[in-house]
């Protein structure tokens, strides 16, 4: 069945509960890149350094990483609907508080609470959408992936539009939109059956004992350092107004969405997952080197182009994590995300520090090296990663991917 078919079960004929969850997912993913265009404005408004402001990402993703061990434990006990509402409530409260911050320390702390809420929400949203969808999961998965791409693209745009007036407004705007999402899910989404087996806190860690999953997580760890160097450090290098920076990262997000949803599956079908991943990582390394050493125009172009490589990588990594081991997909995904999000927390902290210790170019050299390291893991651990993954079809890999990001 064509998921775009407007008939029963098609993309346009889903229940209100599915649309409510998908809409809230857009806003949840917007929160990741929301602060990108306003990082310099926050630094100026709170009299903070670039390294201090970059901790907004570090606290957010550090909590997200740890929360990967908790989300399955919580949702398997209180159900998907309540987990979504709990996550949304955290985001509403802490995003609103972030807008009232009087110091960068307060803002970093509130952003950590926001990260916990977002982890609870996005780790459960896909499973809820698939469970509530009409006519099978194909249209539901497409709707979720579209929400992810739309959110990643629109987050910087919203941050720019609201942040041009005040860096506080994007936080208040997110709190308002998430409050609307909370009400929609509370009204339209019915509780779904709880899993037959409750997930323990250690299940995701135990899943990492599988060599293929551990290899995918290790490679993704290096890649995520590169990814979040681009996302968190580049705005300071570009040094543009919120509007212009928002436009750059909007274009970046559009490429990320298109290459993640449309291009990556076609490349995988033709060349295989591991060849596509290795090649994309090497190209990303070259891109960030030019970003770091090129002219300002080259830096803008390379920032936008990195969205294409990041979109491909996100899709392939998710499928590897979900298909390479025999662990239940939600558990495998939680273990994988637990490892890789630590790099997302590390990059925003270390990139500005490395600049302070050396110069503005070296953080991008380090980012290029970590991308190459990710590719090296793929090559050296090819045999472990090939188990089921090389020929894995995207639709099979993502169907039960409860803790897909993602990215």
């Amino acid at each position: 069945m064509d998921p775009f078919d407007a008939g029963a079960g098609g993309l346009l004929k889903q229940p209100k509960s599915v649309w409510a969850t998908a809409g809230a997912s857009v806003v949840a993913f917007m929160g990741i890149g929301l602060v990108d265009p306003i990082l310099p404005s926050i630094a100026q408004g709170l009299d903070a350094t670039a390294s201090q402001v970059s901790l907004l990402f570090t606290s957010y993703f550090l909590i997200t990483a740890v929360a990967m061990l908790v989300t399955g434990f919580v949702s398997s006990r209180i159900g998907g609907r309540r987990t979504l509402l709990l996550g949304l409530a955290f985001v509403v409260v802490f995003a609103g508080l972030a807008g009232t911050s009087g110091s960068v320390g307060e803002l970093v702390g509130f952003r950590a609470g926001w990260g916990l809420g977002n982890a609870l929400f996005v780790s459960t949203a896909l499973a809820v959408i698939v469970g509530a969808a009409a006519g099978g999961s194909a249209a539901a998965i497409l709707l979720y992936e579209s929400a992810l791409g739309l959110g990643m693209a629109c987050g910087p745009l919203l941050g720019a539009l609201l942040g041009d007036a005040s860096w506080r407004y994007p936080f208040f705007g997110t709190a308002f939109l998430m409050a609307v999402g909370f009400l929609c899910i509370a009204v339209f989404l019915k509780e779904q059956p709880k899993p037959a087996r409750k997930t323990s806190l250690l299940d995701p860690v135990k899943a990492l004992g599988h060599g293929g999953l551990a290899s995918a997580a290790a490679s993704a760890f290096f890649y995520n350092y590169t990814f979040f160097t681009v996302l968190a450090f580049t705005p300071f290098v570009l040094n543009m107004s919120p509007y212009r920076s928002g436009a750059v990262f909007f274009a970046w997000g559009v490429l990320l969405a298109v290459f993640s949803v449309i291009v990556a599956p076609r490349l995988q079908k033709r060349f295989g997952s591991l060849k596509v991943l290795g090649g994309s990582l090497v190209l990303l390394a070259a891109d960030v080197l030019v970003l770091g050493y090129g002219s300002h125009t080259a830096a803008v172009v390379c920032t936008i182009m990195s969205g294409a490589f990041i979109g491909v990588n996100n899709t392939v990594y998710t499928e590897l994590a979900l298909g390479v081991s025999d662990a239940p997909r939600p558990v495998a995904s939680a273990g994988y995300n637990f490892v890789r999000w630590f790099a997302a927390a590390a990059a925003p902290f270390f990139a500005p520090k490395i600049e302070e210790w050396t110069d503005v170019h070296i953080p991008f050299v380090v980012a290029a090296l970590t991308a190459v390291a990710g590719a090296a893991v793929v090559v050296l651990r090819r045999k472990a990663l090939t188990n089921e993954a090389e020929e894995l079809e995207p639709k099979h890999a993502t169907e039960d991917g409860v803790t897909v990001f993602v990215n």
Side-chain angles (χ1 to χ4, degrees), residues 5-335:
D5 185 1
L11 184 65
L12 302 179
K13 289 292 184 179
Q14 293 298 326
K16 292 179 180 179
S17 58
V18 172
W19 285 111
T21 308
S25 297
V26 172
V27 182
F29 292 123
M30 285 171 62
I32 294 174
L34 179 82
V35 299
D36 256 27
I38 58 173
L39 286 175
S41 299
I42 294 173
Q44 183 178 1
L46 294 178
D47 194 24
T49 66
S51 59
Q52 289 175 322
V53 173
S54 293
L55 291 175
L56 291 175
F57 285 99
T58 298
S59 63
Y60 182 90
F61 286 112
L62 185 62
I63 294 299
T64 298
V66 176
M68 287 298 113
L69 302 180
V70 177
T71 53
F73 177 88
V74 172
S75 64
S76 65
R77 285 163 173 78
I78 69 174
R81 180 177 179 272
R82 291 179 181 177
T83 303
L84 290 180
L85 292 175
L86 179 63
L88 288 171
F90 270 100
V91 174
V92 170
V93 171
F94 284 102
L97 288 173
T100 68
S101 299
S103 68
V104 70
E106 288 183 8
L107 184 55
V108 169
F110 293 142
R111 181 78 167 161
W114 183 347
L116 174 60
N118 218 48
L120 288 168
F121 179 85
V122 301
S123 66
T124 311
L126 179 57
V128 170
I129 289 175
V130 171
S137 62
I141 292 172
L142 179 61
L143 186 62
Y144 178 85
E145 292 180 343
S146 300
L148 187 157
L150 184 62
M152 291 294 289
C154 291
L157 196 62
L158 178 67
L161 292 174
L162 296 179
D164 189 60
S166 169
W167 65 264
R168 299 180 186 275
Y169 290 169
F171 298 108
F172 294 138
T174 300
F176 173 77
L177 291 174
M178 280 307 224
V180 173
F182 182 97
L183 292 175
C184 290
I185 288 177
V187 172
F188 296 118
L189 180 64
K190 297 180 179 179
E191 186 58 85
Q192 297 175 309
K194 298 178 184 178
R197 178 182 175 277
K198 294 180 179 179
T199 301
S200 77
L201 292 174
L202 293 180
D203 280 351
V205 177
K206 292 177 181 177
L208 290 170
H210 184 279
L213 183 62
S215 299
S219 180
F221 175 89
F222 290 117
Y223 154 66
N224 263 33
Y225 186 95
T226 308
F227 175 7
F228 284 93
T229 296
V230 173
L231 191 63
F233 182 65
T234 301
F236 293 105
V237 175
L238 297 181
N239 195 26
M240 304 167 79
S241 68
Y243 274 126
R244 293 192 175 190
S245 183
V248 168
F249 279 95
F250 173 72
W252 169 87
V254 169
L255 278 186
L256 187 153
V258 170
F259 275 75
S260 177
V261 177
I262 298 174
V263 177
R266 296 180 181 181
L267 290 176
Q268 288 173 270
K269 186 175 181 180
R270 181 171 181 179
F271 299 107
S273 296
L274 299 187
K275 289 181 181 178
V276 169
L277 181 58
S280 181
L281 286 168
V282 171
L283 290 173
L284 178 61
D287 182 85
V288 296
L289 276 179
V290 177
L291 196 165
Y293 281 94
S295 65
H296 188 269
T297 300
V300 170
V301 172
C302 287
T303 299
I304 295 172
M305 286 301 301
S306 70
F309 307 123
I310 289 170
V312 170
N313 293 338
N314 287 348
T315 294
V316 180
Y317 271 120
T318 297
E319 292 170 17
L320 282 178
L322 298 178
V324 76
S325 79
D326 54 1
R329 284 171 175 170
V331 173
S333 184

